[in-house]
Amino acid sequence: MGKIKYPKPVKLIVGFIFAQGKIFFQAKEELVKKFGEIDFESPLFSFNYTDYYRKEMGNKLWRKFVSFKRLFDPEKIVSVKLFTNEIEQKFSSGKKRKVNIDPGYLTLSKLVLTTTKNFAHRIYLGKGIYAEVTLRYIKGKGFQPWEWTYPDYRSENYLEVFNSLREKYKKQLEKEEKGEDGKEGV
């Protein structure tokens, strides 16, 4: 029988797709109230990898990523996704969202994203939420995509963001192991 080992706390990452900066700032503030201080915000990226969101949100879309300072228990990712769905609904106009919020988490070996959509490479977590390993870390190469990884997550800009966040996370774990930084839950 294998011995149960619990995972280390993970780094909460949230990606936003939006047309209006004001909506991004308002949605981000809702997340800060819930999850605490942001320790990283990516540059603003033009989001032109798919037409999927254009009918709903408009033609000129933007992408931004944020991460939160406080590390958290990966078991809580379902509640995070349910909360971000509530925020999307709050900022919707009728049935049209004004912001898409994609939460996930980063470990030293992978980037995990959550979704409400099932598919062959996704695992059901509960309450209608699925997860997929979107990127994997390969020593000497950094984060690398899988065959199912979305085109934008394959881009050099995004990979640079996640490799940078991995280094930040690695330093946080080292501090925690030395007792310099306490883990708090979400």
Side-chain angles (χ1 to χ4, degrees):
M1 177 172 71
K3 185 177 179 180
I4 294 174
K5 297 177 187 171
Y6 292 96
K8 292 181 179 182
V10 296
K11 186 135 196 82
L12 178 60
I13 309 293
V14 178
F16 298 84
I17 299 172
F18 56 94
Q20 301 170 11
K22 180 181 176 182
I23 298 296
F24 161 72
F25 288 112
Q26 290 173 335
K28 181 177 77 167
E29 188 57 36
E30 294 286 332
L31 297 180
V32 168
K33 288 177 192 173
K34 179 82 170 174
F35 305 120
E37 182 182 347
I38 288 174
D39 67 355
F40 172 84
E41 189 170 316
S42 76
L44 187 63
F45 299 116
S46 177
F47 185 80
N48 53 11
Y49 294 92
T50 177
D51 293 337
Y52 183 81
Y53 299 100
R54 289 193 178 161
K55 192 173 186 180
E56 186 176 24
M57 289 193 254
N59 289 327
K60 185 133 173 108
L61 299 177
W62 302 100
R63 163 76 89 175
K64 242 187 191 297
F65 294 99
V66 300
S67 72
F68 293 84
K69 183 175 182 179
R70 183 175 43 185
L71 300 180
F72 85 108
D73 182 342
E75 286 185 23
K76 297 182 179 181
I77 196 65
V78 169
S79 63
V80 173
K81 179 63 175 171
L82 293 172
F83 180 73
T84 60
N85 282 357
E86 290 174 17
I87 300 305
E88 286 182 4
Q89 184 63 39
K90 178 178 179 177
F91 292 107
S92 291
S93 177
K95 292 186 177 185
K96 291 187 176 187
R97 291 178 296 173
K98 293 185 178 187
V99 63
N100 178 69
I101 307 173
D102 294 319
Y105 63 80
L106 185 130
T107 72
L108 294 178
S109 63
K110 63 189 164 288
L111 172 70
V112 175
L113 294 180
T114 56
T115 181
T116 57
K117 300 169 199 80
N118 189 15
F119 208 69
H121 61 285
R122 295 181 177 150
I123 298 187
Y124 186 68
L125 300 177
K127 298 186 178 181
I129 305 302
Y130 298 83
E132 72 173 40
V133 177
T134 301
L135 298 172
R136 66 190 183 270
Y137 185 82
I138 299 175
K139 189 174 182 175
K141 294 184 177 183
F143 278 112
Q144 299 293 304
W146 299 91
E147 62 270 16
W148 57 77
T149 301
Y150 295 117
D152 53 332
Y153 282 85
R154 296 171 175 271
S155 73
E156 282 187 44
N157 288 334
Y158 289 23
L159 292 172
E160 186 177 304
V161 163
F162 295 118
N163 283 315
S164 173
L165 284 170
R166 183 184 183 274
E167 287 305 309
K168 180 182 281 291
Y169 171 63
K170 186 176 178 182
K171 288 176 184 171
Q172 282 182 279
L173 287 178
E174 288 169 358
K175 276 185 173 181
E176 187 176 287
E177 288 172 6
K178 291 178 185 177
E180 297 174 21
D181 202 17
K183 177 188 135 190
E184 296 180 41
V186 168

